[in-house]
Amino acid sequence: MESLLPVDESPVSPDAGRWRDRTLSPAERADALIPLMTLEEKIAQLVGVWVGADASGEGVAPHQADLVDGGLSWDTVIRHGLGQLTRPFGTAPVDPVQGARSLATAQARIAAASRFGIPAQVHEECLTGFAAWRATVYPAPLSWGASFDPELVEEMAHRIGRSMRAAGVHQGLAPVLDVTRDYRWGRTEETIGEDPYLVGTAGAAYVRGLESAGVVATCKHFAGYSASRGGRNLAPVSMGRRELADVILPPFEMALRLGGARSVMHSYTEIDGVPVAADEHLLTRVLRDEWGFTGTVVADYFAVRFLETLHGVAAGPADAARLALRAGIDVELPTVDAFGAPLVTAVRSGAVEEALVDRALRRVLVQKIELGLLDEEWQPSPDGLDGLVFDDEADRDVALRLARESVVLLRNDDGLLPLAPGRRVALVGPVADDPMALLGCYSFPLHVGVRHPGHDVGVDIPSLRDALARLHPNLTHVPGCAVTGEDASGIAAAVAAATEADVCVLAVGDRAGMFGRGTSGEGCDAVDLRLPGVQGDLVRAVLATGTPVVLVLLTGRPYALGPEFDRAAAVVQAFFPGQRGAQAVAEVLTGAVNPSGRLPVSVPRDAGGLPGTYLSPVLGRRSEVSSVDPTPAFPFGHGLGYTSFDWSDPTVRDSASGPETGGTGPGTGDGRPGTKDGRPETGILRPVDWAVDGEVRVGVTVRNTGTRPGTEVVQLYLHDPVAQTTRPVVRLVGYVRVPLEPGAAARVVFEVPADVTSFTGVHGRRVVEPGDVELRLARSSAEVVAALPLRLVGAEREVGHRRRLVSTPYVEPVLPQHA
């Protein structure tokens, strides 16, 4: 690597004093080390190298295909030290113990080669679990959103982090905090949903879990990536700063403030002509100056060079490095390129200030010090290496519980579900007997394993056919067609099987992949929201038989379920529910589990009426001046179960002094009143005063009036009828899961700070604006039980990054004698 990193002929001898002193702060230690380092040593800390662990346990080797110079030797790569090791486990299948031994061997060599004994920071993908062979594959992020259960998401992330840290990995490239804006985007499966409050609360929970295990969480993709034109990967983003501030940025604020994330990965995209990788306003002024973020900003893979090759704002690699460093990027990933020889030359020539290198280096060293990598007692081999297991019973239990909570029952006409024992069931569809149909794009089997057909999958992944057959043996199976392709020759056999059955379970959906190798996943964007291949023809043919049909969707995005799908008596949606997802779906179908998932995205009726989510102002809703009706088939937050719940006694009270006041809406019977624009058609009560710097308490009693245990998801929405800028008709500002036994009741109370009503006003500042608003207790964004009128009082109040970000829910059981 001589040509990449010229040798400084006058190295400074290392000082084993202050920078090793653990009584000093990480920043003080970093400041003591930086002046001792040569330019080459400094810049070496700002790059990663893509490697693969050797199955023999003898070390790691550069992933040559992705290096600038394919002839580089390992000793040359590490001669000045190394910032990061990229994906030693996630490059090829390797036994967990042998992989960890290889990593430890490589780390010892890196530390020995460095004058300062500094090992590399190791990062891996971990979106649906540690992306390593034989590691548990958890549900995809859309399933996290569907669970409406941040606590369980946090538990999952903690278990993922424990496995990673035990293997010697320090940083995880998750969670994805992009808010879905166009379902055609292939990476919709990686998002948590279409609402920033849901994305932010679940994302912050994931961060807390990963960080609690000692692993640096990396929030991505900062920012705007999910709003690309036409839903195309890496396409430009046409978005105003207000939409960016109110929809896209809040989840990142939540993850940093409420989760404690220590790293951010920038977005590939460009917003209004400015590539994020070169956007000093976003990466420095917003992220650091306004929000106070002190961690590292890492480049999405190859994105620094993309400033030259894709965006055309850099004249070459050195210019790309200059723009990236100036904007605020600290580490180039996945491997040394623009931050190698081009940057060294640019600094020596004066084209790039060394102070920019030092600024990034300080952040990198502080984080390494926080991780213990600069301590004298650091050891390359983690404890307990010989017993390393990435997929144990406790991991699988969490994966199963999250999958169960994420399955959404969209429709259940005439109580077709749960399936009655003894009924003849035809299981039809291309994903019914395909374990890979349960996994997201960034799961190891689909992300890496597909390139190594000689290896087994590494974990047990039952298909839906396997799982359903165990619970309902009277089952026949016919695939009908493939996920993709135009071959419809198998549909006739599927129709015959459905005709002969009492019930047909029709399983259709996606196969995740990368860059066109799947129907969902990175680079697998869709032109519309029709089911892939001839699956739509299969559904129509089976529905025409007259046999009652349970439509099961195993997908990475919502697909259009227009009028032609209305004949399906029941519809079940699961978003890549993971390794134990088939068991969860089968348990819901048979009634072993009462479904409690809620939609994190709306399900459209029309395949081409895009883009659009429920976060729309009045002009985005159905109107008399357009022939296109964007009303979804199923709204955000929707989900059914096998029991019934009564909501009663809705109240709102100023937590400081105001009296309780009842809200509108009947709150009796099945709780599904007729509505107009999502609001119960009842009288309006006097609004409760709500100080612009205060909080209110919103309450409702929920009772399970059915015969089965079940979980209701109480959702709280804000409606702001008159504001200085147009606002979404409703937006989520609180939610909580309420599990109840038959006959049991609970009082649900939300403490709601006025800060959650804030938005970016006409002058570009975030404000809490006085005036009338409503807090709506609801089963979904379109199914309101009670609308509670309030009036924000006081002067317009400007709020910033330190505002209160969430409502706090409390659930207390109601004793029978007081029920």
Side-chain angles (χ1 to χ4, degrees), residues 202-244:
Y206 182 97
V207 168
R208 286 193 298 271
L210 205 65
E211 291 277 358
S212 70
V215 174
V216 174
T218 307
C219 301
K220 60 184 192 181
H221 307 85
F222 188 77
Y225 190 26
S226 56
S228 56
R229 293 178 192 162
R232 294 180 59 248
N233 198 41
L234 269 70
V237 167
S238 301
M239 175 185 291
R241 289 290 174 179
R242 185 168 288 104
E243 182 181 358
L244 183 73

Side-chain angles (χ1 to χ4, degrees), residues 102 132-133 135 201 208 226 237 240 253 279 439 501 540 580 623 649 654 661 765 776 785:
S102 285
W133 193 49
T201 48
R208 286 193 298 271
S226 56
V237 167
E253 292 185 83
D279 192 341
L439 309 184
R540 285 183 285 271
R580 286 291 175 262
S623 72
D649 192 23
D654 184 315
T661 302
R765 298 186 297 271
R776 297 180 174 182
V785 175

Side-chain angles (χ1 to χ4, degrees), residues 145 148 150 177-180 192-205 246-252 254-255 258 600 614-615 636 714-718 730-736 750-753 755-757 803-809:
F148 277 70
L177 299 175
D178 298 303
V179 177
T180 301
I192 298 169
E194 67 184 45
D195 179 89
Y197 190 91
L198 179 64
V199 174
T201 48
D246 289 349
V247 178
I248 300 298
L249 295 185
F252 292 93
M254 290 184 181
L258 307 180
Y614 97 100
L615 290 176
F636 173 86
V714 178
Q715 301 164 46
L716 184 68
Y717 292 87
L718 174 72
V730 291
R731 62 181 176 93
L732 187 70
V733 294
Y735 63 87
V736 67
F750 293 95
E751 286 188 356
V752 189
D755 287 0
V756 303
T757 71
R803 71 191 183 281
R804 294 176 65 182
L805 297 171
V806 297
S807 303
T808 304

Side-chain angles (χ1 to χ4, degrees), residues 257-560:
R257 278 190 51 203
L258 307 180
R262 288 181 283 173
S263 189
V264 167
M265 175 179 278
H266 74 80
S267 166
Y268 280 129
T269 198
E270 58 189 64
I271 303 174
D272 195 23
V274 179
V276 174
D279 192 341
E280 189 174 3
H281 172 78
L282 196 57
L283 298 184
T284 295
R285 286 195 286 275
V286 172
L287 182 62
R288 296 192 184 278
D289 298 344
E290 294 180 18
W291 293 3
F293 177 66
T294 59
T296 58
V297 174
V298 299
D300 207 342
Y301 286 11
F302 308 106
V304 174
R305 180 60 80 94
F306 285 171
L307 291 173
E308 172 196 358
T309 60
L310 293 185
H311 298 294
V313 297
D319 199 27
R322 176 185 65 85
L323 289 173
L325 276 174
R326 187 183 67 183
I329 293 175
D330 303 313
V331 181
E332 181 182 28
L333 298 179
T335 200
V336 59
D337 184 6
F339 278 22
L343 181 55
V344 173
T345 302
V347 173
R348 293 205 184 282
S349 71
V352 175
E353 298 176 58
E354 189 167 355
L356 291 177
V357 172
D358 289 348
R359 183 179 72 170
L361 174 64
R362 187 175 190 268
R363 296 164 183 161
V364 167
L365 291 179
V366 165
Q367 192 160 100
K368 285 193 171 186
I369 291 167
E370 291 173 346
L371 291 166
L373 299 181
L374 269 67
D375 295 343
E376 286 188 282
E377 60 270 29
W378 173 83
Q379 296 295 323
S381 183
D383 295 333
L385 206 59
D386 291 339
L388 199 59
V389 175
F390 296 160
D391 179 44
D392 63 21
E393 191 57 42
D395 296 329
R396 292 188 291 271
D397 175 68
V398 172
L400 177 59
R401 285 190 283 129
L402 184 54
R404 285 169 172 163
E405 291 188 3
S406 70
V407 177
V408 186
L409 178 61
L410 299 180
R411 179 189 299 148
N412 191 23
D413 293 348
D414 302 321
L416 180 60
L417 292 178
L419 296 171
R423 302 195 78 180
R424 297 170 301 163
V425 173
L427 178 60
V428 170
V431 301
D433 199 26
D434 182 3
M436 297 300 106
L438 303 162
L439 309 184
C441 168
Y442 268 79
S443 64
F444 186 88
L446 289 178
H447 198 70
V448 178
V450 292
R451 300 196 300 270
H452 301 271
H455 280 265
D456 63 83
V457 174
V459 291
D460 178 43
I461 310 175
S463 69
L464 179 58
R465 180 186 182 184
D466 297 329
L468 189 57
R470 284 195 285 269
L471 298 176
H472 197 99
N474 195 3
L475 187 72
T476 60
H477 169 251
V478 177
C481 66
V483 170
T484 58
E486 301 302 318
D487 184 3
S489 61
I491 293 180
V495 167
T499 301
E500 295 171 4
D502 298 320
V503 177
C504 178
V505 175
L506 177 53
V508 295
D510 281 315
R511 178 71 180 260
M514 296 280 288
F515 303 114
R517 295 190 294 271
T519 60
S520 176
E522 186 172 0
C524 298
D525 310 315
V527 296
D528 59 36
L529 294 177
R530 295 179 178 87
L531 286 167
V534 296
Q535 292 184 85
D537 295 335
L538 173 66
V539 173
R540 285 183 285 271
V542 171
L543 289 174
T545 64
T547 299
V549 171
V550 179
L551 182 63
V552 176
L553 298 122
L554 302 177
T555 67
R557 63 164 63 86
Y559 283 101

Side-chain angles (χ1 to χ4, degrees), residues 127-130 134-144 146-147 149 151-160 163 206 390-407 438-439 443 459-462 574-588 593:
L127 190 62
T128 59
F130 184 11
R134 294 183 178 171
T136 304
V137 183
Y138 293 90
L142 271 183
S143 284
W144 313 351
S147 76
D149 192 345
E151 290 77 14
L152 187 52
V153 171
E154 182 174 345
E155 184 179 352
M156 172 194 69
H158 179 75
R159 298 207 65 84
I160 294 170
S163 293
Y206 182 97
F390 296 160
D391 179 44
D392 63 21
E393 191 57 42
D395 296 329
R396 292 188 291 271
D397 175 68
V398 172
L400 177 59
R401 285 190 283 129
L402 184 54
R404 285 169 172 163
E405 291 188 3
S406 70
V407 177
L438 303 162
L439 309 184
S443 64
V459 291
D460 178 43
I461 310 175
F575 296 106
F576 291 150
Q579 181 176 330
R580 286 291 175 262
Q583 179 180 340
V585 173
E587 289 172 338
V588 165
V593 165

Side-chain angles (χ1 to χ4, degrees), residues 746-765:
R747 184 70 180 171
V748 178
V749 175
F750 293 95
E751 286 188 356
V752 189
D755 287 0
V756 303
T757 71
S758 67
F759 61 94
T760 303
V762 292
H763 300 296
R765 298 186 297 271

Side-chain angles (χ1 to χ4, degrees), residues 17 34 41 122 200 257 334 349-350 464 605 626 629 655 683:
I34 291 171
E41 288 169 334
V122 183
R257 278 190 51 203
S349 71
L464 179 58
R605 291 190 70 81
S626 173
D629 181 0
S655 62

